[in-house]
């Protein structure tokens, strides 16, 4: 059975973001994972670790008779080294923007209107993170979430 379109988009997002490395011309090398029941506290404090999360269920944007248009919100959260948060946050945000906005292979599964909404810094007792909000618009055949249109 084929995977749902949103699953393919999230898997493609993971692959795309994992190419953000200093060897590829970015400020930082980021290691990305999909959200799981782990807290990533076992990572070294000097590693940039990214977590991809679906924040809500996909919302129907424009239901039609032959197709359905959807919007899925993602949080792209990166754990920042504790000694360099402001500069690191600006650079990580720049790296993510650059990759998502220029990777034509990744963009091919999305509709116009997919965009980065900005970011916030989140300080917890154990770590500092940057959370980038990313909205993806996509279209499927009506009543067939496995077929992109």
């Amino acid at each position: 059975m084929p995977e749902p379109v949103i699953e393919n988009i999230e898997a493609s997002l993971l692959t795309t973001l994992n190419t953000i490395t200093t060897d590829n011309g970015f400020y930082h090398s980021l290691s990305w994972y999909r959200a799981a029941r782990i807290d990533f506290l076992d990572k070294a404090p000097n590693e940039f670790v990214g977590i991809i999360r679906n924040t809500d269920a996909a919302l129907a944007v424009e239901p039609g008779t032959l197709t359905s248009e959807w919007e899925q919100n993602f949080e792209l959260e990166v754990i920042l080294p504790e000694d360099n948060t402001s500069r690191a946050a600006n650079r990580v945000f720049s790296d993510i923007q650059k990759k998502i906005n220029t990777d034509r292979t990744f963009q091919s599964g999305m509709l116009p209107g997919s965009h980065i909404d900005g970011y916030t810094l989140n300080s917890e007792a154990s770590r500092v993170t940057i959370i980038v909000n990313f909205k993806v618009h996509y279209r499927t055949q009506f009543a067939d979430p496995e077929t992109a249109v």
Side-chain angles (χ1 to χ4, degrees):
M1 172 180 262
E3 292 288 349
V5 172
I6 191 58
E7 172 61 23
N8 293 331
I9 290 172
E10 188 171 347
S12 178
L13 179 60
L14 178 66
T15 300
T16 297
L17 292 173
N18 270 315
T19 64
I20 298 176
T21 64
T22 54
D23 288 344
N24 288 335
F26 294 91
Y27 289 109
H28 300 290
S29 292
L30 306 176
S31 299
W32 288 89
Y33 302 89
R34 292 175 74 169
R37 292 182 183 167
I38 52 178
D39 60 14
F40 297 95
L41 292 177
D42 61 332
K43 299 295 180 188
N46 61 345
E47 289 184 65
F48 288 83
V49 177
I51 305 159
I52 300 172
R53 287 192 189 89
N54 293 12
T55 57
D56 298 305
L59 299 173
V61 176
E62 189 177 319
T65 55
L66 300 176
T67 64
S68 295
E69 189 171 320
W70 300 91
E71 178 181 275
Q72 176 67 58
N73 295 318
F74 289 99
E75 283 185 350
L76 311 176
E77 183 175 14
V78 179
I79 300 170
L80 302 174
E82 296 175 26
D83 61 340
N84 197 5
T85 57
S86 180
R87 185 176 188 189
N90 291 331
R91 287 181 168 183
V92 165
F93 183 61
S94 174
D95 285 344
I96 292 170
Q97 278 185 304
K98 180 178 174 183
K99 186 61 188 173
I100 286 177
N101 291 332
T102 60
D103 190 314
R104 299 293 177 225
T105 303
F106 172 65
Q107 291 178 358
S108 67
M110 300 182 300
L111 296 174
S114 298
H115 64 281
I116 294 174
D117 255 354
Y119 77 89
T120 56
L121 277 175
N122 183 22
S123 297
E124 297 176 1
S126 60
R127 65 183 178 204
V128 177
T129 64
I130 175 178
I131 300 172
V132 177
N133 300 305
F134 179 48
K135 292 186 179 194
V136 174
H137 289 262
Y138 65 99
R139 187 177 295 130
T140 63
Q141 285 186 357
F142 184 75
D144 182 2
E146 289 90 18
T147 304
V149 179

